[in-house]
Amino acid sequence: MREDHVCDVIHAFNEDGLDCLKPNYRGGRPTTFSKEEWSLIIELTQISPQTIGLPFSHWSLAKLAQQLWIEAS
């Protein structure tokens, strides 16, 4: 690591505190879900899986993704 970089980080910390350590993300991939798809996702996460006949009581991300795939088909 360069000494200049260390000095830059120290100066940034002195100016901004811990906020200077937060990542500064820019850009990225645009949203790929429509408003209707977001509505379906939100609706599904707010009900118990047992309500729709599934044999578990809580959603995991994998189970939710699988159910969304089934409902979208």
Side-chain angles (χ1 to χ4, degrees):
M1 190 177 298
R2 298 183 349 258
E3 286 184 30
D4 291 348
H5 178 71
V6 174
C7 288
D8 292 342
V9 171
I10 290 171
H11 289 297
F13 179 80
N14 289 336
E15 289 179 21
D16 301 325
L18 291 175
D19 286 339
C20 76
L21 301 176
K22 291 181 182 175
N24 189 11
Y25 298 113
R26 291 186 201 112
R29 184 178 177 173
T31 301
T32 57
F33 295 114
S34 68
K35 288 184 179 186
E36 293 81 18
E37 291 169 327
W38 274 117
S39 295
L40 175 62
I41 293 168
I42 292 168
E43 180 183 332
L44 189 58
T45 60
Q46 293 178 345
I47 62 172
S48 169
Q50 293 175 335
T51 304
I52 57 174
L54 297 173
F56 44 88
S57 59
H58 294 87
W59 291 110
S60 69
L61 188 55
K63 291 173 183 174
L64 180 63
Q66 182 179 19
Q67 188 62 30
L68 288 166
W69 183 263
I70 290 169
E71 292 198 18
S73 300

